[in-house]
Amino acid sequence: MNPVLKRITMLVLAVAISGCATSRNPQDPFETYNRAMFSFNDGLDRVALKPAATVYKNVLPQFVQTGVGNFFGNLGDVWTAVNNLLQGKVEDGLNDFMRVAVNSTLGLGGLLDIGSEAGLQKHREDFGQTLGRWGVASGPYVVLPLFGSSTLRDTAATPLDIVGDPWTYKDPTNVRNMGTALRLVDLRASVLDASSLIEDAALDRYEFIRDAYLQRRQSRVYDGDVPRGKGRRSTVDDSYLNERSAASPVDSAVAVPGIEPLQAPVPEQAPSAQLSVKAE
């Protein structure tokens, strides 16, 4: 089995088993509303975004898809670098700025990921994670229209994530809008297999996505090392998440369909595939 799908299979089983212990989650006091919004977002994904992503994946050559992902991922590195610096992770922030410099020049405007080949690690940070590092509690789980999974803290941080996305300032407007649409379709295409697996395996897709999102979000806030008393470490393995567009508004929305909104502005804003896994 593909290693990505194998990890997701293990995640599905882990969350499904843990979810059998209780039918109520204290972090989800708005469950009735959230389920209704989840269904709305899921419907948009099924009739619009998923079909477009399927055509995109089946028609365009892989090298083109890789180039698109690299280009927007390079833009996402800018905001990631800023957030790493705000969190006091100076070394990581400088690493991210170096990635942008290398990929924007030697990588033909970001189409090639020369930085990774040179040993410059890719990070993914957003302002919600920065607030979490500053001690701001996540608050209740919330499903946003189009954007998908979030928390009160991350919802408040979303406008800054959009402002921090370089693509937001691209002119002319028609080019910006077409690029945003392409970005969303590319992100959705990258997790088509994962989303199909979740649809087939999860007993309750809403609970699976919610629990996986909250666990992974907390793990990301603490870079996988959640302090004692803050909750258990996330069972979600970041390595399987093809979040190629790091902290951009759109990326705020992707990872595993349904696990972190497909934020799409959509900046990270078009109908959400609820894809994501922006996680604490």
Side-chain angles (χ1 to χ4, degrees):
M1 179 185 290
N2 182 291
V4 169
L5 296 182
K6 182 177 181 180
R7 292 190 182 96
I8 296 177
T9 300
M10 294 175 66
L11 174 60
V12 170
L13 293 176
V15 176
I17 292 174
S18 64
C20 292
T22 176
S23 60
R24 307 296 295 180
N25 188 318
Q27 291 181 284
D28 188 9
F30 312 127
E31 183 173 346
T32 300
Y33 158 81
N34 286 337
R35 282 185 179 274
M37 189 53 63
F38 175 87
S39 296
F40 171 77
N41 289 343
D42 191 53
L44 287 179
D45 177 56
R46 290 175 184 276
V47 302
L49 193 54
K50 185 175 181 180
T54 300
V55 172
Y56 172 88
K57 184 175 182 178
N58 293 335
V59 173
L60 288 185
Q62 183 58 51
F63 76 87
V64 174
Q65 297 179 45
T66 298
V68 171
N70 287 342
F71 176 78
F72 287 109
N74 185 52
L75 295 180
D77 284 343
V78 176
W79 187 231
T80 286
V82 172
N83 279 286
N84 266 326
L85 294 178
L86 290 174
Q87 293 173 35
K89 297 184 286 188
V90 177
E91 183 176 348
D92 286 348
L94 294 177
N95 172 93
D96 298 327
F97 277 124
M98 182 61 71
R99 278 182 55 86
V100 174
V102 171
N103 288 337
S104 297
T105 54
L106 301 180
L108 304 179
L111 294 176
L112 304 177
D113 186 2
I114 302 298
S116 292
E117 295 182 10
L120 296 172
Q121 181 181 355
K122 185 174 183 63
H123 304 108
R124 297 177 177 85
E125 302 289 336
D126 54 56
F127 195 64
Q129 289 170 255
T130 297
L131 291 178
R133 293 290 291 194
W134 290 351
V136 178
S138 66
Y141 175 72
V142 179
V143 179
L144 302 176
L146 306 184
F147 286 75
S149 296
S150 187
T151 61
L152 288 186
R153 182 195 63 211
D154 294 337
T155 297
T158 295
L160 275 175
D161 285 333
I162 294 174
V163 170
D165 177 20
W167 191 253
T168 299
Y169 308 99
K170 176 65 178 177
D171 286 322
T173 302
N174 65 319
V175 173
R176 179 170 68 245
N177 292 339
M178 288 188 291
T180 295
L182 176 62
R183 183 184 206 171
L184 292 174
V185 171
D186 178 72
L187 286 170
R188 185 63 178 91
S190 72
V191 293
L192 278 173
D193 292 339
S195 63
S196 297
L197 179 63
I198 291 174
E199 291 170 2
D200 294 339
L203 300 178
D204 184 328
R205 290 181 60 242
Y206 170 80
E207 283 191 8
F208 166 74
I209 288 169
R210 176 197 64 197
D211 295 346
Y213 174 88
L214 291 174
Q215 288 181 33
R216 181 169 183 271
R217 196 64 183 152
Q218 184 178 60
S219 178
R220 288 187 64 181
V221 166
Y222 296 102
D223 296 327
D225 187 19
V226 180
R228 207 177 272 268
K230 290 288 187 178
R232 61 183 177 180
R233 291 190 59 170
S234 170
T235 57
V236 184
D237 182 351
D238 286 359
S239 65
Y240 79 77
L241 299 172
N242 190 9
E243 295 177 287
R244 299 179 301 185
S245 190
S248 71
V250 177
D251 174 280
S252 283
V254 175
V256 171
I259 298 186
E260 201 172 39
L262 196 118
Q263 285 68 331
V266 317
E268 301 154 74
Q269 284 115 39
S272 163
Q274 254 152 165
L275 263 179
S276 265
V277 180
K278 197 176 170 184
E280 224 179 297

